[in-house]
Each structure stands twice: as C-alpha cells, then as structure tokens.
C-alpha cells in the first residue's frame, strides 16, 4: 500500500489504515449497531483519521457518518 | 527503539519540495471540498477562476481571494449564528466555541465535529511533544474552560499523549499555585501574563516556585511568550523552560510552536497549514526576514474551510535551518510580533505594545504595568506608563521610573514617556489575553485610531 506521496507504508501502518477503513465501512453500512457500538466506533474513527491523514492517505471528511 | 523527538517524524523532517507537494495536494482537496459544500465560498472561488484542477503549484494559491475577519463577521450578522460558512450540518458538531473578542464588533462562532476536535488536539500534540512533554508528565492548566477555545485543545492533547492532566478552571490564583505544588505538576500551561501573576502570588505565599517540580511552561494567548525579556523573567521565576505557541479560534488550535531547542522562534506546522507572509498594505508577499502579516490556509477543520484568512498578526518568517532541531518546518522568528492594528502613532512615532513590554520586563521590580495614551490640554498626544513597584529591599522606585523612561525614549526615537508609580494591586490582572493599552486620546483630525469623546 502506497500513500499519496508514493511512499510504501510499513506493515504496522498498513494495519492501522485497514482498521480505519474497516471502521468507516461498518459505520456506513451497518444500521443495527447499538449506541455503545456506534458512538465508540465513531470516537475510534475520529482518532484513526489523524493517523491516516498523517500518513498522507487523504482521508477526506467524515461528517456524513457523524464524525 | 529510540523515542522520536517529533510527533510526526516523517512530516516534520520532510524535504522542502515534498512539503510543498503535500501542501499543493491538500490545497486541491480543500478547494474541491469548499466548492462542493460551501456555496458562499464557492462563489468567491468561482469569481476568481479557481478550480481544484487549476492549482498546479503554491503560486496558484495567490489567485485565491483573501478572507477578512470583517467578511466573516458580516456573514454571521447576515445569516446568524454561523453565517453561510459551514460545510456540514450543525448536527455533525460536538463543540461550539467563540473568539475571545479582543478584535472586532462581535465574536466569531465556530463548530467542530468529533474528527475536527481530535485534529485540534493533534496540532497541540506537535507542540507539546516537540517541547519534550511525555506521558510521565503531570500537566496543570491555568485556564477557565469556557467558550473561548484557548487551552481546550491542549488539554485533550495532553490526554492523548498520556499525561496526567490537572484542569485548573474556576480556581483562585492561590489555589492554583497550591495545586501545582501539592500535585507536583511538571508542566504548567497559561498565558505569559498569568505565568507571571502566579509567580507573584507564590512570592506572596512565601513559596519558591523555582524549587518546585515544574520543568516546563507552555505559553499561549499573547505575543509575550516570545518576548525575550518576558520569557527570561518567566523562566527565572519558575526555574523552568518556557515555550511559546500561538493559535486562533478561526482554525481552532495552534499553528506554530516552539521546539525544545528554543531557537527564539516558533515552527509553523506546515503539513497542516499554508502560512503566507504579506505586506499588510498591498497584500504582496514579503521575503524571509521581512516583517509582514500572516495569512493562513488550514487543512484541518473541515467544518469551516479557511482559505487565505488575514490574521492581522505580524511575523517575520525565517527558514527551517535557523533552528538546529532537524525539523524542516520554517519558523516565525520572535513568534507573533504583534498585530497590524496594535500600532499606535504618538506624535509621529510608531509605538507597539509588544516593544514597550519588552523594555518594561527588563525591570524585574515592576510587577504590572499599563500603557496609557491621552490628550493633554486638548491638543497634544501623550503616552505614560503606569507601573506597580512593590516595596522590596534594594528597590529604588524613583530610580526605576527614571531609567524606564530613558530606555523607552531611546527605543522610540526620543519620544517622551511619562512613567508613574501607581498603588500596588490597582492595575488589572489577566488570566487570558492581557489588555494593557488604554487609549483615551481625543480625536483630532483624522490621524490615528482614537476614542471619540464629546
């Protein structure tokens, strides 16, 4: 996996990015999350967004999912 | 593995060409987001012929129209409470804050989402980590935790870093000093003015702050954090290192910070902002080493996109290699030098409050001061410095007044300064953004910014 600057990410970095992507996907697609699941996942996404942004993957904005 | 001295090592040490490539890419994204989500801004961009595709280099930034605080305020007045500036619905917000109200008719009102709020803390992390704050630290915030954004982001940054955070809101100065001591705080965050205020209080209490556990002070909210004399005084009083930071509610957080090398300036967080320095009169860019007004473009808060915002802050930008820390982020030498609108014209001489403060702080016997401008005999501008000099052994207040007046005059083309001792405790104390200049001059003709009196 390469970032927007063309740099290859390390395995650990890739794992973090995949966590972020997985969480975003769940938050977008799942309608049956309990409040504790959705709100805690949103907090996690907001934090992981900083990682993905800092790794130059242009994560965009997350307002549509509430983050 | 050795701990990094940088919060984001890759970005903070990136070669200049890569920083610029990153900024261009983020600028394109920001323009695309703004055009799609903020019609008010989109109209301005369209009128200037700006599209994301038309941005090829940082030179294209200059085609984007500057935005002023007046425009922002006007937009809020026309479409309260936020103006047509939001890129997301209010329901997506988790925080509401206001500007501190030192400039302008009305405070600016801003919103942040969960992600934006994390980003706000993230910017403070650059500063805290860069100045050596680590998870073992105990951080005290001398901050009132109100609607002014102030140190809010810094509080969350310290939680993120893993520090033990002591929120010192709603406390007297004495109670704050006591808590700093009893909790063995290693880091204290406050305005420069309030750091001195706490030091004064500690003296009154008979406490030796220099012997406390405090190792670092993180200063913000006033330019004084980078005034060498003020900073030296703070460091001596506390027996600790002090770092300057500067932020603004319009972007929600800090955009510059001082690193552990204390180079006499503040690094610009260039992977999250584009900072330009321009001539405040013409808007034309000025070079390294020249005084100018900073314009900010922020890539962080998506809720309210900020493109080429005129900050009115005066700065002198110098290259990254002016500091030995290894960061490739440029610096503002001497931090924020003052405000474009701070300058007062007194009998043909420019007077900047910051310059006056830098001289007053050379006199350690002065506890507090005020700059007072007034009109004598209904026709002549006068400037006087009111000072508090507590009675202490070895202090000759009369001599201090004479020497202060002489130093101020020498630094201001011979302008005569009246210096007067006032009763101890009679001048206002400040927790946030000190306002030490009082302009009571009567309007004569059109010169200067003066109070209209009947």
């Amino acid at each position: 996996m390469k970032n927007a600057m063309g740099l290859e990410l390390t395995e650990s970095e890739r794992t973090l990015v995949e966590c972020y992507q997985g969480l975003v996907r769940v938050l977008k697609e799942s309608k049956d999350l309990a409040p504790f699941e959705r709100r805690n996942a949103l907090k996690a996404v907001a934090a992981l967004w900083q990682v993905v942004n800092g790794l130059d993957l242009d994560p965009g904005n997350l307002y549509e999912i509430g983050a | 593995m050795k701990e990094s001295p940088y919060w984001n090592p890759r970005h903070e040490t990136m070669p200049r060409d890569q920083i610029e490539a990153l900024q261009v890419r983020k600028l394109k994204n920001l323009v695309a987001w703004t055009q799609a989500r903020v019609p008010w801004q989109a109209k301005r961009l369209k009128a200037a012929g700006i599209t994301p595709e038309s941005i090829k280099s940082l030179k294209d930034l200059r085609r984007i129209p500057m935005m002023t605080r007046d425009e922002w305020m006007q937009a809020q007045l026309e479409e309260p409470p936020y103006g047509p500036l939001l890129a997301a619905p209010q329901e997506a917000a988790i925080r509401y804050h206001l500007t501190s109200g030192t400039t302008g008719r009305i405070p600016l009102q801003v919103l942040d989402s969960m992600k934006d709020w994390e980003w706000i803390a993230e910017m403070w992390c650059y500063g805290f980590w860069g100045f050596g704050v680590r998870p073992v630290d105990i951080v005290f915030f001398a901050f009132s935790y109100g609607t002014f954004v102030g140190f809010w982001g810094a509080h969350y940054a310290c939680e993120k870093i893993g520090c033990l955070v002591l929120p010192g809101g709603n406390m007297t100065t004495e109670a704050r000093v006591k808590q700093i001591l009893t909790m063995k705080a290693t880091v204290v965050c406050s305005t420069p003015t309030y750091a001195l205020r706490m030091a004064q209080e500690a003296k009154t209490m008979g406490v030796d702050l220099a012997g406390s556990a405090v190792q670092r002070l993180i200063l913000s909210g006033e330019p004084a954090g980078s005034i060498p004399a003020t900073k030296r005084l703070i460091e001596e009083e506390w027996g600790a290192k002090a770092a300057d930071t500067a932020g603004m509610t319009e972007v929600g957080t800090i955009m510059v910070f001082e690193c552990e090398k204390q180079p006499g300036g503040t690094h610009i967080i260039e992977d999250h902002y584009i900072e330009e320095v321009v001539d405040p009169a013409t808007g034309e860019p000025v070079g390294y080493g020249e005084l100018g007004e900073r314009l900010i473009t922020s890539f962080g808060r998506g809720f309210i996109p900020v493109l080429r915002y005129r900050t009115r802050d005066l700065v002198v930008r110098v290259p990254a290699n002016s500091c030995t820390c290894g960061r490739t982020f440029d610096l503002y030498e001497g931090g924020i030098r003052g405000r474009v609108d701070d300058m007062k014209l007194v009998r043909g001489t420019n007077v900047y409050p910051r310059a006056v403060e830098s001289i007053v702080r050379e006199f350690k016997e002065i506890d507090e001061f005020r700059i007072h401008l007034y009109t004598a005999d209904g026709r002549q501008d006068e400037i006087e410095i009111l000072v508090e000099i507590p009675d202490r052994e070895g202090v000759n207040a009369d001599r201090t007044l004479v020497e202060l007046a002489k130093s101020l005059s020498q630094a201001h083309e011979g302008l005569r300064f009246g210096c007067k001792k006032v009763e101890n405790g009679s001048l206002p104390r400040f927790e946030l953004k000190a306002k030490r200049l009082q302009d009571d001059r009567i309007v004569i003709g059109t010169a200067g910014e003066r109070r209209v009196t009947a």
Side-chain angles (χ1 to χ4, degrees):
Chain A
M1 186 188 289
K2 285 185 177 175
N3 70 6
M5 303 292 284
L7 281 174
E8 194 69 45
L9 301 187
T10 66
E11 195 182 329
S12 309
E13 289 168 344
R14 272 203 309 275
T15 305
L16 289 172
V17 172
E18 284 160 10
C19 281
Y20 170 80
Q21 290 169 336
L23 281 170
V24 171
R25 193 169 52 249
V26 168
L27 286 163
K28 277 184 178 167
E29 293 170 2
S30 303
K31 307 293 175 206
D32 56 351
L33 292 174
F36 83 95
E37 292 168 333
R38 178 168 295 279
R39 301 317 298 183
N40 279 304
L42 281 169
K43 284 279 279 183
V45 157
L48 278 173
W49 185 94
Q50 314 305 322
V51 176
V52 177
N53 189 42
L55 289 172
D56 289 327
L57 282 146
D58 293 345
N61 286 295
L62 299 168
Y63 305 117
E64 77 282 7
I65 58 168
Chain B
M1 195 178 135
K2 195 172 167 242
E3 187 178 73
S4 170
Y6 314 111
W7 180 250
N8 184 333
R10 189 181 290 163
H11 280 182
E12 290 177 64
T13 58
M14 207 175 233
R16 170 77 15 203
D17 61 332
Q18 286 184 32
I19 291 177
E20 290 185 3
L22 177 152
Q23 290 176 327
V24 169
R25 199 187 74 245
K26 288 192 174 185
L27 181 61
K28 280 174 179 252
N29 292 342
L30 178 62
V31 167
W33 169 254
T34 306
Q35 279 190 331
R37 303 297 291 257
V38 191
W40 183 80
Q41 292 259 43
K43 207 161 82 181
R44 291 158 53 90
L45 292 170
K46 191 177 177 190
I50 307 292
T51 61
E53 304 73 38
S54 72
I55 293 166
K56 309 285 184 207
S57 76
L58 287 183
K59 283 182 185 157
D60 292 310
L61 182 68
R62 294 196 53 217
R63 297 192 291 116
I64 297 174
M66 297 179 197
M67 183 176 163
T68 65
R69 183 185 173 119
D70 278 347
E71 286 173 304
W72 194 328
M73 283 194 295
Q74 195 54 40
Q76 283 193 175
L77 285 169
E78 286 168 10
E79 211 174 294
Y82 305 108
L85 285 94
L86 301 185
Q90 186 177 322
E91 303 77 69
I94 59 151
R95 296 294 296 217
Y96 163 84
H97 285 283
L98 298 170
T99 48
S100 56
T102 47
T103 316
R105 303 186 303 275
I106 58 161
L108 299 179
Q109 304 181 75
V110 294
L111 293 177
D112 287 297
S113 74
M114 212 180 268
K115 176 268 285 175
D116 293 343
W117 193 245
E118 277 289 337
W119 173 81
I120 280 167
E122 187 77 4
M123 294 305 94
W124 279 100
C125 286
Y126 276 74
F128 276 81
W129 193 268
F131 195 56
V133 177
R134 295 293 181 269
V136 295
D137 278 304
I138 300 171
V139 187
F140 182 88
F141 284 91
F143 173 56
S144 55
Y145 291 90
T147 48
F148 172 51
V149 76
F151 280 108
W152 272 110
H155 173 116
Y156 286 93
C158 287
E159 287 187 359
K160 191 189 290 212
I161 288 172
C163 305
L164 175 59
V165 175
L166 310 176
N170 194 27
M171 293 169 84
T172 63
T173 304
E174 184 185 1
R176 283 173 169 154
V177 171
K178 275 184 186 166
Q179 190 165 89
I180 287 166
L181 295 171
T182 55
M183 290 301 293
K184 295 186 168 47
T186 55
V187 180
V188 171
C189 302
S190 77
T191 61
T193 294
Y194 198 69
L196 289 171
R197 173 80 193 92
M198 285 189 283
Q200 285 169 9
E201 186 67 28
K203 272 186 193 155
T204 309
M205 293 160 65
V207 167
D208 173 28
L209 272 187
S212 74
V214 177
Q215 295 165 11
R216 291 177 176 79
L217 290 116
I218 306 280
L219 308 172
S220 205
E222 299 163 356
S226 278
I227 296 175
T230 306
K231 188 173 181 171
R232 199 162 48 242
L233 186 60
I234 292 169
E235 291 190 327
E236 281 173 15
E237 297 282 351
W238 283 83
K241 289 181 8 165
D244 190 20
T245 63
M248 54 200 300
T249 308
E250 290 90 327
V251 297
T253 182
I254 57 165
M255 58 277 153
V256 296
F257 68 92
E258 186 171 3
C259 70
E260 209 163 11
K261 298 287 181 189
Q262 294 187 292
T266 48
H267 287 281
I268 302 162
I269 307 176
E270 291 198 78
D271 55 339
H272 290 270
Y273 304 104
I274 301 175
E275 290 264 335
E276 302 167 79
V277 186
V278 302
D279 181 317
T282 65
E284 289 299 309
V286 303
Y288 278 139
E290 292 180 54
L291 188 71
E293 178 187 349
R294 44 177 288 269
L295 304 186
I296 189 165
T297 296
S298 171
F299 302 128
R301 177 192 274 154
F303 225 109
I304 305 176
V306 170
L307 288 140
R308 301 198 84 212
Y309 181 69
R310 293 195 74 149
T311 66
R312 313 305 280 162
D313 287 337
L314 289 170
V315 290
V316 173
R317 185 168 175 151
V318 293
N321 63 13
S322 310
C323 180
T324 58
C325 71
R327 282 179 183 79
T328 47
F329 291 170
D330 283 352
L331 299 102
Y332 286 138
E333 187 182 75
I336 306 294
R337 301 285 187 112
R339 307 266 306 159
V340 173
D341 32 21
D342 265 357
M343 199 268 290
K344 298 288 174 184
L345 195 64
V346 183
R347 298 202 300 274
T349 301
N350 296 343
V351 175
Y352 287 93
R354 178 189 157 117
V356 171
E357 173 166 357
S358 70
I359 292 166
V360 172
R361 293 299 186 199
E362 296 285 349
F363 296 83
K364 291 179 189 169
E365 59 272 35
I366 297 175
D367 266 9
E368 192 50 81
F369 73 99
R370 166 176 276 178
I371 305 165
H372 182 218
L373 303 175
Y374 63 100
T375 304
D377 303 326
R379 56 189 161 81
Q380 177 157 294
D381 287 354
E382 292 289 347
I383 181 166
E384 64 179 2
I385 311 298
L386 309 176
V387 298
E388 287 183 20
I389 307 175
D391 295 330
R392 293 191 190 113
E393 204 179 311
V395 172
N396 181 332
D398 291 337
R399 193 171 62 211
T400 298
L401 293 174
V402 171
E403 286 174 6
L404 176 63
K406 194 174 154 193
S407 296
L408 287 165
S409 179
Q410 280 172 350
H412 291 87
E413 301 163 345
L415 179 69
R416 183 180 64 250
F417 282 73
C419 292
K420 281 185 193 162
K421 184 173 181 285
V422 297
E423 195 179 331
N424 293 333
S426 63
L427 297 176
R429 262 49 175 187
F430 303 94
E431 185 179 323
L432 289 169
K433 291 185 189 288
K435 293 171 204 158
R436 293 198 175 88
L437 189 141
Q438 186 178 333
D439 192 347
D440 287 331
R441 290 177 295 175
I442 300 166
V443 174
I444 301 169
T446 56
E449 300 163 31
R450 303 185 186 179
R451 187 171 68 89
V452 180
T453 51

